Amino acid sequence: MGEARRIREPSGKLGVLLVGMGAVSTTFIAGVELIKRGLGRPVGSLTQMALMEPGGEDGALRRVKELLPLYRLEDLVFGGWDVLPDDAYEAAVTAGVLEKGHLEAVKEELQRVVPWPAVFERRYVHRIEGTNTKRFGSLREAAELIREDIRRFKRQHALERAVMINCASTEAYLQPDKEAYSSLEAFERALDVSDEAISPAMLYAYAAIKEGVGYANGAPSIAADIPALVELARESGVPVAGKDFKTGQTLIKTIMAPGLKARMLGIEGWYSTNILGNRDGEVLDDPDSLKSKELSKLSVLEWILQPELYPELYGDISHVVKIDYYRPRGDSKEGWDNIDIFGWLGYPMQIKINFLARDSILAAPVVLDLALFVDLAGRAGMGGIQEWLSFYFKSPMTAPGLYPEHDLFIQLMKLKNTLRELRGEEVRRHEIRR
Amino acid sequence: MGEARRIREPSGKLGVLLVGMGAVSTTFIAGVELIKRGLGRPVGSLTQMALMEPGGEDGALRRVKELLPLYRLEDLVFGGWDVLPDDAYEAAVTAGVLEKGHLEAVKEELQRVVPWPAVFERRYVHRIEGTNTKRFGSLREAAELIREDIRRFKRQHALERAVMINCASTEAYLQPDKEAYSSLEAFERALDVSDEAISPAMLYAYAAIKEGVGYANGAPSIAADIPALVELARESGVPVAGKDFKTGQTLIKTIMAPGLKARMLGIEGWYSTNILGNRDGEVLDDPDSLKSKELSKLSVLEWILQPELYPELYGDISHVVKIDYYRPRGDSKEGWDNIDIFGWLGYPMQIKINFLARDSILAAPVVLDLALFVDLAGRAGMGGIQEWLSFYFKSPMTAPGLYPEHDLFIQLMKLKNTLRELRGEEVRRHEIRR
Amino acid sequence: MGEARRIREPSGKLGVLLVGMGAVSTTFIAGVELIKRGLGRPVGSLTQMALMEPGGEDGALRRVKELLPLYRLEDLVFGGWDVLPDDAYEAAVTAGVLEKGHLEAVKEELQRVVPWPAVFERRYVHRIEGTNTKRFGSLREAAELIREDIRRFKRQHALERAVMINCASTEAYLQPDKEAYSSLEAFERALDVSDEAISPAMLYAYAAIKEGVGYANGAPSIAADIPALVELARESGVPVAGKDFKTGQTLIKTIMAPGLKARMLGIEGWYSTNILGNRDGEVLDDPDSLKSKELSKLSVLEWILQPELYPELYGDISHVVKIDYYRPRGDSKEGWDNIDIFGWLGYPMQIKINFLARDSILAAPVVLDLALFVDLAGRAGMGGIQEWLSFYFKSPMTAPGLYPEHDLFIQLMKLKNTLRELRGEEVRRHEIRR
Amino acid sequence: MGEARRIREPSGKLGVLLVGMGAVSTTFIAGVELIKRGLGRPVGSLTQMALMEPGGEDGALRRVKELLPLYRLEDLVFGGWDVLPDDAYEAAVTAGVLEKGHLEAVKEELQRVVPWPAVFERRYVHRIEGTNTKRFGSLREAAELIREDIRRFKRQHALERAVMINCASTEAYLQPDKEAYSSLEAFERALDVSDEAISPAMLYAYAAIKEGVGYANGAPSIAADIPALVELARESGVPVAGKDFKTGQTLIKTIMAPGLKARMLGIEGWYSTNILGNRDGEVLDDPDSLKSKELSKLSVLEWILQPELYPELYGDISHVVKIDYYRPRGDSKEGWDNIDIFGWLGYPMQIKINFLARDSILAAPVVLDLALFVDLAGRAGMGGIQEWLSFYFKSPMTAPGLYPEHDLFIQLMKLKNTLRELRGEEVRRHEIRR
């Protein structure tokens, strides 16, 4: 039995800052309010639903939220930015995710959350027209405006602590090796000269870290995952995590691929297509944003299957990932996967998976868990990249030199073992179960 | 670092006794012969393909078959029983699993394997007409005839060791709590009076154990999993494992269910239908045999999802499993699963999985691994139920009082940890990966 | 150009008598009321939506309902029977087909429709418990009670005309060749002695015909399709039509099969499975009712594909149809079809169709069209079997010696040509289009 | 009963000229040879398999090929062009469509068919490297070289008649309204100056028509469907037909869409994706060729559903068609369609269709029928566009001002009625059936 890590107790309320107040954010906020009133359950949330066996005690299982000093749902207060001025109620109605009855029950709470003007650059998200945007001179000034929003929000609600979750639309693809990203110094110089290399997503991440606010990135856009900001986060003791919520097809992929590999079945090809119809889908209808997303989805198989170790089984996979905007799908998103596998002597077989999913319904509990866990990491003094949260992401951030873990089951074990370490318990080996 | 278990070295050849010489058995035998000639790969076999990290060494990964003292493919000799007199070549042609080119290449080897007359009772498998069957008086005599076959086979090939794998058709469902099964004494009394409670599958299992031959059961029929034979196996130091090869739809189920649970997604219903067209399918077209199979498939979800711990998520699942005979499918078997899940606030989503599988292609490497591992267990002095082999079965046998593990990823970890223990290494915790 | 058939003009209101006031009936009634208020569209209804080209005029297309003297939606009044006493509003809420908003908008109208006690025999529908049932001595008396309901309903609403549509649950399978069915005389004798051969469905059909009320059968139960009642209908000049609404999987089948045949593609097998979760599904969970349904669904392919003419293409089809009760599906019903086809030189291909349907949504417009068309036939003096309405049925009734047409496209052409004949126009040959 | 059209009797052999000697062409040739030897059946071919009722006779059904003076399979001789020098046997082995056994049985016949060098322009098909190509100065010269091939082939085999079927890869998309296409004069002027507007596909079509050889276009490339060549064909009395064989997903679409429309079910969206892995797929991996194909596939729904007449049902369909190259699929091609439909009151339902098809197996009988029918039209003196053959095409050619018929069932009726007219019979109205 190890020694429990010193974790500051939660005190007061926790501010949850949401970049983008669309379908995901409003489904998250409405859900928390509904759950507080007993009108819904936090299905999909590990912090609220999952059981763990606390070591060294009577062995009775308890909820994760009871074993660790997390903020409670009652303690959360919400703020955020959006390029549209609609309050969270109006935005939720537009998103069309939750039923009318659900939205009416928490209408007042939602109406109270009005987004601040966003920092927006058409260059990065072509398909969106912003009307609720900030005016600024240099990008340095833009970052400062975001920081002021954060400080004002904390003052207003007398908050000691806050976290920021990026729920905005996917930005256009950027080369990740630009000079401006290479160090904090270069980054801040670039801010001053309003270098085009710096996207809004990075500005938000920078502002959060500078304000000591933990940051998690739910979009595939590059944000905290540049050397400049990783360095800043580590040095400031601010936790960062990302990126791209693992919600639909990739979730299924990181379940199926380890299973096929467990049985040493070969894979010849994996064709994945997605149809989605919400704002997210519209944004991805643009080739530049699409590239960010598709890249985020492609590397998964390689990391799980290890073709370098198993060339006969996984050395020559045709992996195709497509995303298409299809209006009738609305906020639902649907994936169709065709997997060409082979068995004994190479004989072929096929698996087809059709996932009729709902983006925001899958993402909302992830937002909740990330808000609570990122904050916990902050109070435990764990700055920099939070690899143990890779469970929630399509493209897990990792320290340089480490490989990203994509296998959902190993990710879960790592997450739970980190929780155990935080409690000073021994890690376990058969623990995927609960 | 623990101490390696004392394992007797393999010596001479290993006899593999196959009960039932149909599609699975002939695909297995032909495959081994083709692989020996370099004309195919043992895809799907953990012993032949999987890599492990040996502890305490340079850390270089090595094949399982190199880390443990298993018999090599070159050392296997095949024998078996069938109700039809066709040799393994003819049977393989009838089965229609492997391409003509493959069968021709090993025709001679296959023709050499001619099945001995089987102990057969129409009562247990209604849809099959047997022409190559043994005549006997009491069931005690029948068991004795099987034992003589085993002894003759061992003499003939000068074998020191043999294992028996049940690849026969599913027998009609039997109540598992009959008096005749309760103890070895009761069982042998029942043999003498030819009690109807005793099915052919049990006779083979009994014969094997009495001859010191390890036994694995690939069918859902009750065989070694009755108290009488478990007792006998344990006392004789003979390993037994079962039952019902995990090959198609259930394999997928034990992959998907742990994944959904990992993310705390709820399940409202799981509808599974199967179509198959080979002799196995024809046998299952009979309601009595079908019952054995469907029962074997149904309990999987409950053990994985733990509804008693997660009543809000898994407390009320409509789980339906159907198997239909459909001639055009031939030896292929196809599953269609519809999974009704729910997420945040209970909102519903659906997953559909269509698996175009091939029964024998998935089963053959399982036969190989079981033959090698069951024999290994015997040489390591591990008698009785081999729970660590649950990875390969739809209905894992367990010691009384223990629950059967169904989660494929935990099963794999247990299997690998057992291998590590056999080598005297420490068990690991992040080991699902390779 | 022929001569238009003499058709009595509609006058007053049309009574629509519904046997069974469950999901289908209430969706139909609520829909009519909503459409009258402009709150919905009669999608799926040929009478209300389809266009036809009237002959001999300016050629402008007009709606079917404008070309023929049909009753208008405004003229319909609803009555019916059910084994539960719930009014149509309560029954609709229980059925869970329509959204709350839709039901509230026509709540009053629905509440006004309270079902009369039903004639019910547990023997024919095992899975339903009736609480709102009639007491009677002989079956003759039961029939008389139904007739009294009809007469009272007509008096109450001062109706000149009425039609009856059977929307009740499927009854247990009955041999269709019983003595009691052979002639009207035998049938009435059987009524007197309460012969078990006579099911409730037949009693309703008999009562309708005796009252001069046109009858259509939406269930697979045997009802008007026995010689006794066909004879009675023909002699009384009362139209009868049936049976079993063609709504889900069979609809798709009668679309796909003609298409494959058009291209002379062969079929080796067709496996169809259905999952449904409403009262209908529960009833079908009983093997006796299931048999009625499965028989109704099986003959479709044979009639369309004509294996006697095309033995090389359709002479040996494995046609399997399964229906399974699966609670989570509710009133939705889902079909999964696997079609094994073959082309040039016999090479195999596969088609899989997954239909996520809604039973009542597909059935309601069929109820509407049948009510209007059966009544029209009555006013046009067309007694007996209405073959031209086979378009709407899984098992079209035909005169003895004629074959039932199942091909949806030929059925549509026949329907339209009958409408043209009623108008005195020439039939057309390229008319599937509109 | 009309008067039979004067049709010249077939005499001697019929030359079948194939542009492109890939998977489709070789499957067609091999198939004809196998069928002649009784080693396979012409499944999918209307001329060989379908039955019709000859008018005015005893009413016995007879094969189409017996009712009309078509050439017999025994009379066909094959020639053609390809950019690769492989003979038809080698090309068929590469294509991998037919089993080895089938190819060996007709190896000699296939080896005898050696393709002539092709006219090829990389500009139109980027993904293919040609090694067996013609050298020429102006395009006029290129056309002349093709004509010489045709004449030499006819002389060699003493042919009176020949037809040309374009089975080549899809060319890059071209604007269809170029000056060079507007008249024969403009076209020939463009030939002289080697105008880039003129693609190889047009050169072949032009050469065929000039030589009095009927022409059918199986690819989506623009060829005979420009005013210049339509004019030439009509004036020369040469039949032309096209374009783009209707084989996979579009075939299904033209079956399903009429069926949904028959029942007046609305459509909100139709998403179609295709995966294919042969040379055809590789070519379509190029955006320019893809555009030709996607355009060819998109208009289908509009023509069938008539949104202008049914705006409430079909006025706002999201129709998406995607084609992706996916190597593991080989010559098979697989479609996945998601159809969002709606019924009564607008309630939504979904249909998913997964078609595991084989391109060449579906196309080969179409090549056969077109060769025989186009030739027949020629002997019947029917020059110009053959609208009655629209049954076989994704983008049916029509005379200016007429709309293209896409509904498979109307197409079939038109085809059969044309055959009846050729025989001098009255057309029928219930004739979709056989």
Side-chain angles (χ1 to χ4, degrees), chain C residues 72-96:
Chain C
R72 298 168 310 146
L73 298 192
E74 287 72 16
D75 302 328
L76 305 183
V77 290
F78 310 103
W81 298 263
D82 202 90
V83 296
L84 299 176
D86 301 351
D87 65 43
Y89 174 75
E90 284 162 0
V93 169
T94 303

mmCIF file of all heavy atoms in Angstrom, chain C residues 72-96:
data_model
loop_
_atom_site.group_PDB
_atom_site.id
_atom_site.type_symbol
_atom_site.label_atom_id
_atom_site.label_comp_id
_atom_site.label_asym_id
_atom_site.label_seq_id
_atom_site.Cartn_x
_atom_site.Cartn_y
_atom_site.Cartn_z
ATOM 1 N N ARG C 72 -64.966 12.422 -47.872
ATOM 2 C CA ARG C 72 -63.856 13.261 -47.454
ATOM 3 C C ARG C 72 -63.482 12.935 -46.000
ATOM 4 O O ARG C 72 -64.298 12.372 -45.263
ATOM 5 C CB ARG C 72 -64.249 14.741 -47.543
ATOM 6 C CG ARG C 72 -64.604 15.193 -48.971
ATOM 7 C CD ARG C 72 -65.249 16.567 -48.903
ATOM 8 N NE ARG C 72 -66.315 16.548 -47.890
ATOM 9 C CZ ARG C 72 -66.636 17.584 -47.114
ATOM 10 N NH1 ARG C 72 -65.975 18.729 -47.226
ATOM 11 N NH2 ARG C 72 -67.605 17.485 -46.220
ATOM 12 N N LEU C 73 -62.266 13.314 -45.614
ATOM 13 C CA LEU C 73 -61.860 13.048 -44.229
ATOM 14 C C LEU C 73 -62.845 13.680 -43.246
ATOM 15 O O LEU C 73 -63.092 13.138 -42.161
ATOM 16 C CB LEU C 73 -60.456 13.597 -43.964
ATOM 17 C CG LEU C 73 -59.324 12.993 -44.800
ATOM 18 C CD1 LEU C 73 -57.984 13.403 -44.234
ATOM 19 C CD2 LEU C 73 -59.441 11.480 -44.844
ATOM 20 N N GLU C 74 -63.386 14.801 -43.618
ATOM 21 C CA GLU C 74 -64.317 15.517 -42.741
ATOM 22 C C GLU C 74 -65.583 14.694 -42.477
ATOM 23 O O GLU C 74 -66.317 14.958 -41.523
ATOM 24 C CB GLU C 74 -64.716 16.862 -43.368
ATOM 25 C CG GLU C 74 -63.613 17.914 -43.329
ATOM 26 C CD GLU C 74 -62.489 17.617 -44.310
ATOM 27 O OE1 GLU C 74 -62.680 16.777 -45.234
ATOM 28 O OE2 GLU C 74 -61.395 18.192 -44.144
ATOM 29 N N ASP C 75 -65.848 13.706 -43.349
ATOM 30 C CA ASP C 75 -67.099 12.955 -43.244
ATOM 31 C C ASP C 75 -66.978 11.684 -42.409
ATOM 32 O O ASP C 75 -67.960 10.960 -42.246
ATOM 33 C CB ASP C 75 -67.570 12.552 -44.658
ATOM 34 C CG ASP C 75 -67.767 13.762 -45.553
ATOM 35 O OD1 ASP C 75 -68.149 14.826 -45.023
ATOM 36 O OD2 ASP C 75 -67.529 13.653 -46.771
ATOM 37 N N LEU C 76 -65.788 11.377 -41.925
ATOM 38 C CA LEU C 76 -65.619 10.094 -41.231
ATOM 39 C C LEU C 76 -66.026 10.185 -39.766
ATOM 40 O O LEU C 76 -65.710 11.161 -39.082
ATOM 41 C CB LEU C 76 -64.161 9.628 -41.325
ATOM 42 C CG LEU C 76 -63.569 9.520 -42.736
ATOM 43 C CD1 LEU C 76 -62.142 8.976 -42.678
ATOM 44 C CD2 LEU C 76 -64.429 8.639 -43.635
ATOM 45 N N VAL C 77 -66.758 9.169 -39.290
ATOM 46 C CA VAL C 77 -66.998 9.035 -37.844
ATOM 47 C C VAL C 77 -66.539 7.646 -37.416
ATOM 48 O O VAL C 77 -66.657 6.686 -38.172
ATOM 49 C CB VAL C 77 -68.483 9.234 -37.468
ATOM 50 C CG1 VAL C 77 -68.895 10.690 -37.644
ATOM 51 C CG2 VAL C 77 -69.369 8.336 -38.303
ATOM 52 N N PHE C 78 -65.984 7.568 -36.222
ATOM 53 C CA PHE C 78 -65.307 6.352 -35.803
ATOM 54 C C PHE C 78 -66.010 5.633 -34.666
ATOM 55 O O PHE C 78 -66.506 6.257 -33.731
ATOM 56 C CB PHE C 78 -63.885 6.683 -35.351
ATOM 57 C CG PHE C 78 -63.143 7.517 -36.344
ATOM 58 C CD1 PHE C 78 -62.967 8.888 -36.148
ATOM 59 C CD2 PHE C 78 -62.660 6.935 -37.508
ATOM 60 C CE1 PHE C 78 -62.293 9.656 -37.087
ATOM 61 C CE2 PHE C 78 -61.986 7.711 -38.445
ATOM 62 C CZ PHE C 78 -61.808 9.075 -38.237
ATOM 63 N N GLY C 79 -66.051 4.317 -34.757
ATOM 64 C CA GLY C 79 -66.544 3.490 -33.667
ATOM 65 C C GLY C 79 -65.749 2.204 -33.655
ATOM 66 O O GLY C 79 -64.952 1.957 -34.567
ATOM 67 N N GLY C 80 -65.921 1.371 -32.624
ATOM 68 C CA GLY C 80 -65.181 0.117 -32.643
ATOM 69 C C GLY C 80 -65.268 -0.648 -31.343
ATOM 70 O O GLY C 80 -65.946 -0.250 -30.407
ATOM 71 N N TRP C 81 -64.553 -1.760 -31.343
ATOM 72 C CA TRP C 81 -64.575 -2.679 -30.210
ATOM 73 C C TRP C 81 -63.165 -2.886 -29.684
ATOM 74 O O TRP C 81 -62.203 -2.834 -30.455
ATOM 75 C CB TRP C 81 -65.098 -4.050 -30.660
ATOM 76 C CG TRP C 81 -66.485 -4.050 -31.185
ATOM 77 C CD1 TRP C 81 -67.619 -4.360 -30.496
ATOM 78 C CD2 TRP C 81 -66.899 -3.770 -32.525
ATOM 79 N NE1 TRP C 81 -68.722 -4.272 -31.326
ATOM 80 C CE2 TRP C 81 -68.308 -3.914 -32.579
ATOM 81 C CE3 TRP C 81 -66.241 -3.369 -33.701
ATOM 82 C CZ2 TRP C 81 -69.051 -3.702 -33.732
ATOM 83 C CZ3 TRP C 81 -66.982 -3.158 -34.855
ATOM 84 C CH2 TRP C 81 -68.381 -3.324 -34.873
ATOM 85 N N ASP C 82 -63.043 -3.158 -28.423
ATOM 86 C CA ASP C 82 -61.739 -3.590 -27.905
ATOM 87 C C ASP C 82 -61.938 -4.374 -26.621
ATOM 88 O O ASP C 82 -62.912 -4.164 -25.893
ATOM 89 C CB ASP C 82 -60.796 -2.411 -27.646
ATOM 90 C CG ASP C 82 -59.344 -2.865 -27.630
ATOM 91 O OD1 ASP C 82 -58.691 -2.869 -28.697
ATOM 92 O OD2 ASP C 82 -58.855 -3.281 -26.547
ATOM 93 N N VAL C 83 -60.985 -5.242 -26.332
ATOM 94 C CA VAL C 83 -61.072 -6.050 -25.111
ATOM 95 C C VAL C 83 -60.655 -5.245 -23.893
ATOM 96 O O VAL C 83 -60.813 -5.687 -22.764
ATOM 97 C CB VAL C 83 -60.201 -7.315 -25.210
ATOM 98 C CG1 VAL C 83 -60.719 -8.229 -26.320
ATOM 99 C CG2 VAL C 83 -58.750 -6.957 -25.449
ATOM 100 N N LEU C 84 -60.072 -4.062 -24.116
ATOM 101 C CA LEU C 84 -59.770 -3.153 -23.012
ATOM 102 C C LEU C 84 -60.727 -1.970 -23.103
ATOM 103 O O LEU C 84 -61.095 -1.546 -24.193
ATOM 104 C CB LEU C 84 -58.325 -2.665 -23.098
ATOM 105 C CG LEU C 84 -57.255 -3.761 -23.009
ATOM 106 C CD1 LEU C 84 -55.872 -3.174 -23.213
ATOM 107 C CD2 LEU C 84 -57.338 -4.478 -21.667
ATOM 108 N N PRO C 85 -61.121 -1.411 -21.951
ATOM 109 C CA PRO C 85 -62.145 -0.362 -21.984
ATOM 110 C C PRO C 85 -61.597 1.035 -22.279
ATOM 111 O O PRO C 85 -62.357 1.988 -22.368
ATOM 112 C CB PRO C 85 -62.712 -0.426 -20.561
ATOM 113 C CG PRO C 85 -61.587 -0.905 -19.720
ATOM 114 C CD PRO C 85 -60.740 -1.794 -20.579
ATOM 115 N N ASP C 86 -60.263 1.191 -22.438
ATOM 116 C CA ASP C 86 -59.675 2.523 -22.633
ATOM 117 C C ASP C 86 -60.254 3.227 -23.846
ATOM 118 O O ASP C 86 -60.413 2.625 -24.912
ATOM 119 C CB ASP C 86 -58.162 2.396 -22.860
ATOM 120 C CG ASP C 86 -57.480 1.725 -21.696
ATOM 121 O OD1 ASP C 86 -58.138 1.516 -20.657
ATOM 122 O OD2 ASP C 86 -56.287 1.393 -21.835
ATOM 123 N N ASP C 87 -60.477 4.532 -23.694
ATOM 124 C CA ASP C 87 -60.913 5.296 -24.864
ATOM 125 C C ASP C 87 -59.721 5.489 -25.802
ATOM 126 O O ASP C 87 -58.577 5.136 -25.468
ATOM 127 C CB ASP C 87 -61.531 6.639 -24.439
ATOM 128 C CG ASP C 87 -60.534 7.576 -23.776
ATOM 129 O OD1 ASP C 87 -59.393 7.685 -24.260
ATOM 130 O OD2 ASP C 87 -60.900 8.192 -22.757
ATOM 131 N N ALA C 88 -59.989 6.035 -26.963
ATOM 132 C CA ALA C 88 -58.938 6.089 -27.990
ATOM 133 C C ALA C 88 -57.760 6.945 -27.558
ATOM 134 O O ALA C 88 -56.619 6.709 -27.967
ATOM 135 C CB ALA C 88 -59.509 6.599 -29.315
ATOM 136 N N TYR C 89 -58.014 7.932 -26.702
ATOM 137 C CA TYR C 89 -56.901 8.744 -26.224
ATOM 138 C C TYR C 89 -55.981 7.917 -25.318
ATOM 139 O O TYR C 89 -54.767 7.854 -25.532
ATOM 140 C CB TYR C 89 -57.409 9.973 -25.481
ATOM 141 C CG TYR C 89 -56.290 10.756 -24.849
ATOM 142 C CD1 TYR C 89 -55.451 11.561 -25.615
ATOM 143 C CD2 TYR C 89 -56.030 10.666 -23.478
ATOM 144 C CE1 TYR C 89 -54.399 12.263 -25.039
ATOM 145 C CE2 TYR C 89 -54.985 11.354 -22.893
ATOM 146 C CZ TYR C 89 -54.167 12.153 -23.677
ATOM 147 O OH TYR C 89 -53.114 12.826 -23.116
ATOM 148 N N GLU C 90 -56.588 7.278 -24.334
ATOM 149 C CA GLU C 90 -55.788 6.445 -23.417
ATOM 150 C C GLU C 90 -55.059 5.337 -24.182
ATOM 151 O O GLU C 90 -53.885 5.051 -23.938
ATOM 152 C CB GLU C 90 -56.700 5.790 -22.364
ATOM 153 C CG GLU C 90 -57.159 6.750 -21.264
ATOM 154 C CD GLU C 90 -58.379 6.214 -20.520
ATOM 155 O OE1 GLU C 90 -58.852 5.110 -20.862
ATOM 156 O OE2 GLU C 90 -58.859 6.910 -19.608
ATOM 157 N N ALA C 91 -55.779 4.720 -25.097
ATOM 158 C CA ALA C 91 -55.169 3.635 -25.859
ATOM 159 C C ALA C 91 -53.990 4.149 -26.676
ATOM 160 O O ALA C 91 -52.950 3.491 -26.793
ATOM 161 C CB ALA C 91 -56.213 2.989 -26.765
ATOM 162 N N ALA C 92 -54.125 5.355 -27.222
ATOM 163 C CA ALA C 92 -53.041 5.922 -28.022
ATOM 164 C C ALA C 92 -51.839 6.238 -27.149
ATOM 165 O O ALA C 92 -50.685 6.038 -27.556
ATOM 166 C CB ALA C 92 -53.529 7.173 -28.749
ATOM 167 N N VAL C 93 -52.094 6.724 -25.947
ATOM 168 C CA VAL C 93 -50.987 7.008 -25.026
ATOM 169 C C VAL C 93 -50.255 5.703 -24.698
ATOM 170 O O VAL C 93 -49.029 5.626 -24.748
ATOM 171 C CB VAL C 93 -51.512 7.680 -23.735
ATOM 172 C CG1 VAL C 93 -50.413 7.725 -22.680
ATOM 173 C CG2 VAL C 93 -52.019 9.088 -24.049
ATOM 174 N N THR C 94 -51.018 4.668 -24.404
ATOM 175 C CA THR C 94 -50.413 3.365 -24.121
ATOM 176 C C THR C 94 -49.609 2.857 -25.315
ATOM 177 O O THR C 94 -48.509 2.332 -25.159
ATOM 178 C CB THR C 94 -51.509 2.320 -23.801
ATOM 179 O OG1 THR C 94 -52.284 2.809 -22.708
ATOM 180 C CG2 THR C 94 -50.896 0.975 -23.451
ATOM 181 N N ALA C 95 -50.151 3.028 -26.488
ATOM 182 C CA ALA C 95 -49.479 2.520 -27.689
ATOM 183 C C ALA C 95 -48.138 3.204 -27.893
ATOM 184 O O ALA C 95 -47.173 2.594 -28.349
ATOM 185 C CB ALA C 95 -50.372 2.728 -28.912
ATOM 186 N N GLY C 96 -48.062 4.481 -27.540
ATOM 187 C CA GLY C 96 -46.777 5.180 -27.621
ATOM 188 C C GLY C 96 -46.281 5.410 -29.032
ATOM 189 O O GLY C 96 -45.077 5.519 -29.257
#
